[in-house]
């Protein structure tokens, strides 16, 4: 079975490797191979393949944005002028507080996650978003809490246990 972009999907060993690296991102390849009971070359080849196909994009630190001063998270649904998605996305990427932008179906065209230091700071960020050329209308909601944070672990655990 292959994925829609042509490469083989993750298998049980890939999932176990990713779970190991999720728990300890600075673990050397040799130690990964020892813990997984496979050759060092096997681990390196798996990592190289996942990087090549864009499945594994790196090991950045996971930051608690509230702890570094950005305690307010908001989401905005943007309606944009037809044919302006690329330009609008580029302008949004220039706003430091914009963390993610997703092109969507349904109501609105883009879904934006942004952070701010306070309500006043959020107003400043929203004003910058609204000023982006091509943005026609926005609807913003403030996140009160994050009961389920971004995660991939359950998917990896299912894959790791599948064989």
């Amino acid at each position: 079975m292959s994925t829609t972009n042509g490469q083989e999907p993750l298998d049980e060993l890939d999932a176990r490797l990713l779970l190991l690296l999720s728990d300890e991102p600075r673990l050397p390849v040799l130690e990964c191979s020892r813990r997984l009971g496979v050759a060092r070359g096997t681990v390196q080849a798996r990592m190289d393949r996942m990087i090549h196909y864009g499945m594994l994009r790196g090991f950045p630190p996971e930051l608690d944005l509230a702890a570094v001063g950005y305690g307010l998270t908001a989401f905005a649904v943007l309606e944009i002028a037809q044919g302006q998605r690329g330009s609008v996305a580029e302008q949004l990427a220039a706003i430091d507080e914009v963390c993610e932008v997703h092109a969507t179906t349904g109501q609105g065209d883009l879904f934006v996650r942004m952070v701010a230091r306070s309500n006043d700071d959020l107003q400043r960020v929203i004003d910058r978003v609204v000023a982006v050329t091509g943005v026609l209308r926005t609807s913003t909601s403030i996140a009160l809490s994050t009961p389920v944070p971004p995660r991939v672990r359950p998917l990896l655990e299912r894959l790791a246990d599948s064989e």
Side-chain angles (χ1 to χ4, degrees):
M1 169 170 75
S2 66
T3 61
T4 55
N5 55 2
Q7 80 268 4
E8 293 301 312
L10 295 178
D11 65 12
E12 177 262 342
L13 179 59
D14 293 327
R16 287 179 38 224
L17 173 59
L18 291 171
L19 284 167
L20 186 60
L21 290 170
S22 294
D23 291 340
E24 299 179 62
R26 297 177 59 173
L27 206 59
V29 171
L30 186 59
E31 182 59 18
C32 289
S33 69
R34 188 188 68 72
R35 291 190 191 183
L36 294 170
V38 297
R40 181 197 182 288
T42 300
V43 170
Q44 189 64 60
R46 297 292 182 117
M47 289 177 65
D48 290 346
R49 178 180 58 86
M50 288 186 279
I51 290 168
H52 174 77
Y53 286 111
M55 291 182 242
L56 180 59
R57 292 186 275 179
F59 301 95
E62 184 179 332
L63 296 178
D64 180 343
L65 291 173
V68 296
Y70 291 90
L72 202 148
T73 298
F75 298 93
V77 175
L78 277 56
E79 292 182 30
I80 61 174
Q82 191 167 358
Q84 296 295 307
R85 185 181 66 210
S87 171
V88 169
E90 189 176 301
Q91 293 173 75
L92 291 171
I95 301 171
D96 295 339
E97 295 84 1
V98 170
C99 299
E100 295 177 59
V101 178
H102 299 270
T104 60
T105 62
Q107 197 169 26
D109 302 300
L110 297 175
F111 187 73
V112 178
R113 180 172 70 95
M114 60 189 107
V115 295
R117 295 181 180 275
S118 65
N119 286 344
D120 288 340
D121 191 39
L122 178 60
Q123 184 62 61
R124 178 190 61 79
V125 175
I126 291 170
D127 289 346
R128 287 196 63 198
V129 169
V130 170
V132 166
T133 304
V135 171
L136 303 176
R137 189 172 294 110
T138 67
S139 175
T140 305
S141 298
I142 294 174
L144 299 176
S145 67
T146 307
V148 180
R151 64 196 182 123
V152 295
R153 183 172 206 83
L155 297 173
L156 293 174
E157 287 173 345
R158 182 186 320 155
L159 286 169
D161 293 338
S162 68
E163 293 187 22

